[in-house]
Amino acid sequence: MAVGRSAALKVDWSKIGTSLGLKGQTAAALQAFKKRNDEARRKVHLLSDQAQTVDFQHYRDILKNQSVVDEIENHFKQFKPASYDVGRQIKAIETFEKQAVKSAEETKGKVDMELRDLEKTLKNIEEARPFEDLTVDEVVAAQPDIDKRTEQLVSKGRWKVPGYQEKFGNLSVL
């Protein structure tokens, strides 16, 4: 317990937020935790300063029923606080923490890969020639399906692209 107390006293709360680069909700949650920690530390200090013994003789002098005081004193002497093994909970927390870190690293990798793809796409868009400057051969080379679809339509005797007039209107009046 003393080791935990000395470690808690050595925490520099101001450096935690700045060194980890915490912002927004995470920084607010850290401040709330610090406030709860300070309040708990203050309460522990106040309670440790109070007397921790019970004056049963005082109660014997005040109360008429001595057997009640004797019974309470007997229970008080026999009382042993329960001790809990928190090792299992700590292991569960550590396992969860490892899984969270692993998941965060995987997500970071996916995001980095997607960013690289987006940067590559953006670079292609910026370096692309205007649509007006493209030739039919260049468009067919980039998208071979266009040439195949055109051959199918011509072989069936269809010279009009389906849906063209609905989308762009009839330009024969011009």
Side-chain angles (χ1 to χ4, degrees):
M1 189 78 165
V3 173
R5 283 189 197 142
S6 66
L9 292 173
K10 292 180 183 178
V11 172
D12 188 358
W13 294 99
S14 60
K15 286 186 180 178
I16 289 176
T18 56
S19 66
L20 295 177
L22 301 179
K23 295 178 182 163
Q25 191 176 13
T26 308
L30 180 66
Q31 288 299 322
F33 179 77
K34 179 189 179 299
K35 184 178 178 183
R36 289 192 314 269
N37 181 24
D38 291 342
E39 183 64 22
R41 186 175 289 139
R42 187 185 64 76
K43 284 182 181 179
V44 166
H45 182 68
L46 285 174
L47 291 174
S48 65
D49 288 345
Q50 292 179 356
Q52 297 178 0
T53 58
V54 179
D55 185 11
F56 289 103
Q57 188 58 44
H58 171 72
Y59 292 106
R60 282 192 185 93
D61 295 341
I62 295 173
L63 298 172
K64 292 181 182 178
N65 191 349
Q66 301 292 315
S67 63
V68 172
V69 177
D70 292 337
E71 186 177 338
I72 292 174
E73 184 178 15
N74 188 22
H75 284 295
F76 181 78
K77 288 180 180 177
Q78 291 177 358
F79 175 76
K80 291 182 181 147
S83 62
Y84 294 99
D85 181 22
V86 292
R88 200 170 82 203
Q89 286 85 0
I90 290 174
K91 269 188 182 177
I93 291 170
E94 288 173 351
T95 304
F96 177 77
E97 182 181 343
K98 287 177 186 176
Q99 185 65 30
V101 168
K102 181 181 174 187
S103 175
E105 288 173 353
E106 289 175 2
T107 303
K108 181 186 178 294
K110 289 178 184 177
V111 168
D112 287 344
M113 191 165 60
E114 191 170 331
L115 279 174
R116 276 185 256 131
D117 288 345
L118 290 172
E119 287 172 356
K120 184 178 174 184
T121 302
L122 182 62
K123 183 179 177 186
N124 285 341
I125 290 170
E126 289 172 348
E127 292 176 354
R129 291 189 319 204
F131 186 75
E132 301 84 36
D133 295 345
L134 293 177
T135 64
V136 173
D137 292 333
E138 292 171 338
V139 172
V140 169
Q143 202 66 13
D145 295 344
I146 294 174
D147 201 24
K148 290 178 186 175
R149 180 72 176 140
T150 305
E151 285 178 15
Q152 286 177 349
L153 290 174
V154 171
S155 69
K156 293 180 181 177
R158 295 185 185 160
W159 298 96
K160 296 181 181 178
V161 177
Y164 183 85
Q165 283 189 342
E166 290 82 11
K167 190 170 186 178
F168 299 106
N170 189 352
L171 299 177
S172 62
V173 178
L174 300 173

